[in-house]
Amino acid sequence: MTEQRAAARGRGRPRDAEIDRRIIDAARSLLAEGGYRALAFDAISQMTDIPRSMIYRRWPTRAHLASEIASGGDGAFPVLIDTEGLEAQVLAVVHQVFDRYRQPDIGAAAVGVIADTQGDRALQRDLQAKAEADARAAFAAIVARGKATGRIAAATCPDTLFDLVIGPSLYRALFSMAAAPPDYPERVTRMIIDGLLDRDRA
């Protein structure tokens, strides 16, 4: 959620969390069954008996609603590097991203937001910048722990490594027409690990 949206929500009466939940649940059902094209405020209103005006007050466009579904939930990365090692850490992150975006509703929401915001950098920043910044910061903290314990080479760039770990899962889950092998996260992890090892301390 952006600071602007948070400030707007802070004015007036508090939002009813139950209404939010019903809208989100209906939206996720539409996305799972019909993809992004099926996500319409008219349909949500019919499913929930919530007036369209009330939906628009919460999410001004379907891209805003879909973005909350795509990036919502507990997005924190598991921190395993201290106790289970580098390979377990990378595998856990790859699995988390891959498994999440393979869910039909979340995948449809993510692809729809990308399509709807194409060419509108201001809207892209409004919908995506904070979630991405938070994810990169959390990942960078894990990398710092790995460097401190000698599990990750000191020269490793956290931002580049983030792209390397997250990117393949997003592409395969959201855009590829090829079926992913059952052990896809394990394959990605094994290819990444060799480039991360601190060979001077191994």
Side-chain angles (χ1 to χ4, degrees):
M1 180 191 308
T2 64
E3 293 179 2
Q4 294 91 335
R5 289 179 64 198
R9 291 181 177 186
R11 295 191 291 268
R13 293 183 300 174
R15 280 176 46 166
D16 187 328
E18 175 60 19
I19 290 177
D20 286 4
R21 185 195 62 77
R22 288 166 56 199
I23 293 170
I24 292 282
D25 286 350
R28 294 185 69 156
S29 177
L30 290 169
L31 287 163
E33 294 175 9
Y36 192 69
R37 291 182 180 179
L39 183 61
F41 286 3
D42 280 340
I44 295 173
S45 180
Q46 292 172 7
M47 293 171 67
T48 61
D49 290 327
I50 296 171
R52 282 193 309 163
S53 59
M54 193 172 290
I55 303 172
Y56 278 114
R57 281 200 297 271
R58 288 162 165 76
W59 296 279
T61 70
R62 68 174 180 170
H64 286 80
L65 176 55
S67 180
E68 187 151 328
I69 292 168
S71 61
D74 182 7
F77 296 125
V79 181
L80 306 176
I81 195 162
D82 294 337
T83 57
E84 299 184 35
L86 177 58
E87 185 165 353
Q89 177 66 72
V90 173
L91 180 60
V93 173
V94 173
H95 251 304
Q96 179 173 312
V97 175
F98 186 61
D99 295 344
R100 174 175 175 77
Y101 286 95
R102 290 182 79 193
Q103 296 178 53
D105 55 334
I106 293 176
V111 173
V113 170
I114 292 170
D116 257 8
T117 62
Q118 184 66 31
D120 190 340
R121 296 297 288 176
L123 182 57
Q124 288 173 345
R125 284 192 296 271
D126 182 46
L127 296 182
Q128 302 169 25
K130 186 178 186 305
E132 180 176 349
D134 289 348
R136 286 185 181 275
F139 190 84
I142 294 172
V143 174
R145 295 172 77 119
K147 290 181 179 182
T149 57
R151 290 179 170 89
I152 296 179
T156 301
C157 171
D159 269 343
T160 303
L161 181 57
F162 178 90
D163 296 339
L164 183 63
V165 172
I166 304 299
S169 294
L170 287 179
Y171 176 80
R172 199 62 184 261
L174 298 179
F175 303 111
S176 178
M177 294 293 100
D183 63 342
Y184 180 75
E186 286 77 11
R187 293 188 187 191
V188 172
T189 298
R190 285 196 296 270
M191 294 185 72
I192 291 171
I193 290 299
D194 279 347
L196 294 180
L197 294 175
D198 188 344
R199 301 188 186 283
D200 292 334
R201 300 178 65 170

